[in-house]
Every structure is written in structure tokens, then in C-alpha cells.
């Protein structure tokens, strides 16, 4: 939990290690004001609610970061943010961890209700069997928020089912997923895959490769560049990856649009596969696993 909290709020700079504790906090704090103060430094995380903390002199603030709810704290002056754990020495327990577990349980219950509403109980049971342990990490994505332009389509354009794939041309697991995706398409015409290009910041050449792909007019050329990049990743051909890239203004704008969607959807890595009904599974999958999920959601 400590690693998660500090990872999410790496950009937060505390004014000092000592914080002012007042006699008590406002019974009804100004939530909008606290949001305005905190959200600019939370690295994309959102303030969900503000409660009284079990510790006198602090607010307990519930923050949503990449789909997870995390408790952090603020002093009554609303100047200092505290991201560490609160330990009850008398009870020998972490108040912060207990709250995090409570929030996680609430999130699971809320997700199950949304899933039931989206696909029905029968399909949920099939989905559980198809995904096994990975079912616990399923997220729901609002399909209406997916950017519909500048995607690359594989498969039957008139297919009944659409799978969106958030992918990076320099990602080894994206290259592996690309191979599995093509295996699926060899045997079924009821699905198409729409690729959302999402170059991760720590990949050296991905940004320029994506920019070039987006600015190419020919769909076949776009696919050719992607295939070459996936091949270069698998062969660890850094020279080839460098050659494939090219800067492009439109490409930069589209990438920012895709990043905005990714942030709102809680996407932190690639590949991320968004199945029908907005059911998202993170990480690469085999053709067999993909088929099982698709059959469960028919």
C-alpha cells in the first residue's frame, strides 16, 4: 500500500515534515476547494470524497487513482497533505490499511453491480470461467469515451463484436498479443479488433513511430509500419525502431487524445484489451483466452 500511495503521488512536494494540527476540522469542509487544491498535484488522480479522519485534526480524503480508491490525509488548515500510514499504537493496527481494504471491498461490490447491469448474471458466470483469477482485475470502460478516429482496424469491418486494443509499437507483450489476435481472426468473422495507439512514455522510439503511423494516409502502410515495429521489438533491433519513427503534428495531437482517454479509463500499461460491454482486461492474452471471453459475451 505504501508503495502504491507514494507511486501515485510522486509529484507531490511536501512543504516540510512537520504539519500543523488544529483542535478540530470543519464539520462540513468545502469539498470543491479541497479538490481545487489537491487535484493539480495528484498526477491525474481524483478526489472522490472528504470525511472526518479517525485522528483529531485531520481530514480523511478518498482519492481514486487508476481505478483504485486510496485514503490520504490533510490537516485542518488545508495546507498539508499526508500520504503515509496512520498506525493505532494502542490497537496495534494500521487505520490506513483497514480503510484501504474497506474501500477495495466496496469497489468490488460496486463493480459487480455494474457488470450485472451491463451483461447479466449468466454472462458474468461464463466470464469468470473464461478469465479465472484474472476476473478479479476486470475493469469497466465507458465505450462512448473511446476515441473513434485514428484507430486501425483488423478483421471483418461488419463484425458484430468489436474488441479495442490499447497498444504500443515498442511493447514486447503488445507484439505477442498481435500474433494471438491474428490467430483469432483466422478462425472467426464475428469479431474485429480496433487498435488504439498508446506509446508509453518510457519507450524510447514509440512516440515517433505512433506519430508516423497516424500521419500515413494508407491503411496498409500503417499496418506495415506496426508489423515492422513489432518484429523489431521481438528481435531487439533498436536501430530499426529508430528508423521507423517520424515526427508529425497530427500524431502528437492524437496521442494526447489517447492519453486523456487512458487516464480516464485507468489504463496504466499495454496491452489493455477492451471487450464488448466495456469489459477491460489488462495484459496480453492467448488466442484461446480471447476466444473464451468472446464466446462468454456473445
Amino acid at each position: 500500500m505504501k508503495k502504491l500511495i507514494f507511486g501515485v503521488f510522486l509529484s507531490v512536494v511536501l512543504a516540510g515534515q512537520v504539519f500543523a494540527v488544529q483542535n478540530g476540522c470543519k464539520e462540513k469542509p468545502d469539498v470543491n476547494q479541497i479538490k481545487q487544491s489537491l487535484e493539480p498535484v495528484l498526477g491525474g488522480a481524483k478526489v472522490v470524497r472528504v470525511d472526518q479522519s479517525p485522528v483529531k485534526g485531520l481530514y480523511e480524503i478518498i482519492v481514486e487513482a487508476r481505478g483504485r480508491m486510496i485514503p490520504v490525509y490533510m490537516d485542518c488548515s488545508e495546507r498539508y497533505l499526508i500520504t503515509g500510514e496512520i498506525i493505532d499504537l494502542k490497537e496495534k493496527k494500521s487505520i490506513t490499511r483497514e480503510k484501504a481494504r474497506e474501500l477495495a471491498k466496496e469497489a468490488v461490490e460496486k463493480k459487480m453491480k455494474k457488470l450485472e447491469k451491463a451483461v447479466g448474471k449468466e454472462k458474468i458466470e461464463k466470464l469468470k470461467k473464461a478469465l479465472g483469477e484474472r476476473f478479479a482485475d476486470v475493469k469497466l470502460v465507458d465505450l462512448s469515451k473511446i476515441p473513434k478516429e485514428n484507430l486501425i482496424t483488423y478483421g471483418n469491418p461488419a463484425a458484430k463484436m468489436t474488441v479495442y486494443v490499447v497498444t504500443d509499437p515498442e511493447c514486447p507483450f503488445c507484439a505477442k498479443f498481435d500474433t494471438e489476435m491474428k490467430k483469432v481472426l483466422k478462425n472467426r468473422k464475428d469479431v474485429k479488433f480496433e487498435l488504439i495507439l498508446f506509446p508509453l512514455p518510457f519507450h524510447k522510439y514509440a512516440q515517433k513511430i505512433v506519430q508516423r503511423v497516424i500521419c500515413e494516409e494508407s491503411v496498409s502502410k500503417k499496418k506495415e509500419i506496426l508489423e515492422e515495429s513489432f518484429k523489431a521489438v521481438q528481435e531487439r533491433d533498436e536501430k530499426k525502431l529508430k528508423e521507423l519513427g517520424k515526427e508529425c503534428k497530427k500524431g502528437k495531437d492524437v496521442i494526447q487524445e489517447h492519453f486523456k482517454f487512458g487516464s480516464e479509463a485507468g489504463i496504466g500499461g499495454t496491452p489493455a484489451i477492451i471487450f464488448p460491454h466495456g469489459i477491460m482486461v489488462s495484459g496480453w492474452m492467448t488466442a484461446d483466452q480471447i476466444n473464451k471471453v468472446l464466446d462468454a459475451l456473445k
Side-chain angles (χ1 to χ4, degrees):
M1 172 56 69
K2 291 174 79 174
K3 288 182 180 179
L4 175 62
I5 292 174
F6 283 110
V8 172
F9 303 119
L10 193 59
S11 61
V12 176
V13 179
L14 298 178
Q17 292 185 4
V18 180
F19 57 87
V21 177
Q22 310 297 322
N23 290 330
C25 294
K26 298 173 188 174
E27 186 176 345
K28 294 183 179 180
D30 188 333
V31 177
N32 288 330
Q33 184 176 320
I34 290 175
K35 282 185 176 184
Q36 290 174 11
S37 299
L38 287 186
E39 289 187 351
V41 295
L42 292 181
K46 301 293 182 184
V47 173
V48 176
R49 68 175 189 261
V50 180
D51 300 320
Q52 297 293 332
S53 165
V55 178
K56 190 176 181 180
L58 296 178
Y59 291 126
E60 179 182 78
I61 301 172
I62 308 304
V63 173
E64 183 178 6
R66 293 181 179 176
R68 295 191 180 189
M69 298 296 180
I70 302 168
V72 296
Y73 309 94
M74 176 182 275
D75 76 308
C76 293
S77 71
E78 299 181 14
R79 178 178 176 182
Y80 297 100
L81 174 69
I82 300 98
T83 61
E85 286 189 62
I86 293 180
I87 309 294
D88 185 330
L89 295 177
K90 184 178 179 180
E91 297 294 330
K92 294 182 173 58
K93 66 180 182 181
S94 168
I95 292 173
T96 306
R97 292 192 185 191
E98 285 201 354
K99 187 63 177 183
R101 282 194 288 267
E102 178 187 318
L103 291 168
K105 184 180 177 181
E106 288 177 7
V108 169
E109 291 172 354
K110 186 177 179 181
K111 181 174 72 174
M112 288 302 296
K113 287 181 181 178
K114 285 185 176 180
L115 279 171
E116 285 184 12
K117 186 176 180 181
V119 302
K121 289 185 179 181
E122 185 179 342
K123 287 182 179 178
I124 286 177
E125 292 306 313
K126 290 180 180 178
L127 192 60
K128 284 180 180 179
K129 291 180 181 179
L131 288 171
E133 292 181 356
R134 295 180 76 172
F135 178 80
D137 297 320
V138 162
K139 293 181 181 178
L140 273 174
V141 173
D142 185 346
L143 294 177
S144 69
K145 298 290 181 66
I146 293 177
K148 298 302 190 295
E149 297 181 3
N150 300 294
L151 306 186
I152 302 174
T153 304
Y154 285 80
N156 175 15
K160 292 181 179 179
M161 293 189 289
T162 300
V163 176
Y164 296 95
V165 183
V166 182
T167 189
D168 177 326
E170 202 177 336
C171 160
F173 288 101
C174 295
K176 290 177 71 174
F177 183 85
D178 183 71
T179 300
E180 299 302 311
M181 175 185 75
K182 286 169 185 169
K183 290 179 184 176
V184 172
L185 291 174
K186 277 185 179 179
N187 298 307
R188 57 192 309 165
K189 302 298 181 184
D190 62 342
V191 62
K192 67 176 182 290
F193 292 81
E194 299 270 12
L195 271 56
I196 302 171
L197 301 176
F198 197 86
L200 298 171
F202 52 82
H203 283 155
K204 192 174 179 180
Y205 306 108
Q207 283 270 346
K208 289 185 179 179
I209 294 173
V210 169
Q211 288 177 42
R212 182 183 172 191
V213 169
I214 289 168
C215 289
E216 285 287 346
E217 294 294 330
S218 166
V219 175
S220 61
K221 186 62 177 178
K222 289 175 187 284
K223 292 181 178 180
E224 180 185 322
I225 296 167
L226 272 180
E227 297 307 314
E228 288 182 16
S229 66
F230 286 144
K231 183 180 178 183
V233 166
Q234 291 172 318
E235 296 176 352
R236 299 184 180 180
D237 189 343
E238 190 170 337
K239 182 181 177 181
K240 182 64 175 177
L241 286 170
K242 185 177 181 179
E243 291 173 351
L244 286 171
K246 185 178 179 181
E247 288 193 352
C248 156
K249 175 64 169 63
K250 178 186 175 183
K252 291 179 181 179
D253 293 341
V254 170
I255 287 170
Q256 290 308 308
E257 182 186 358
H258 289 185
F259 279 169
K260 181 182 177 183
F261 160 71
S263 176
E264 292 174 353
I267 296 169
T270 55
I273 303 100
I274 305 170
F275 289 95
H277 307 288
I279 292 170
M280 182 172 77
V281 180
S282 297
W284 83 286
M285 304 174 74
T286 65
D288 183 56
Q289 290 170 330
I290 297 166
N291 281 321
K292 285 179 179 178
V293 173
L294 290 171
D295 290 340
L297 295 174
K298 274 185 177 179

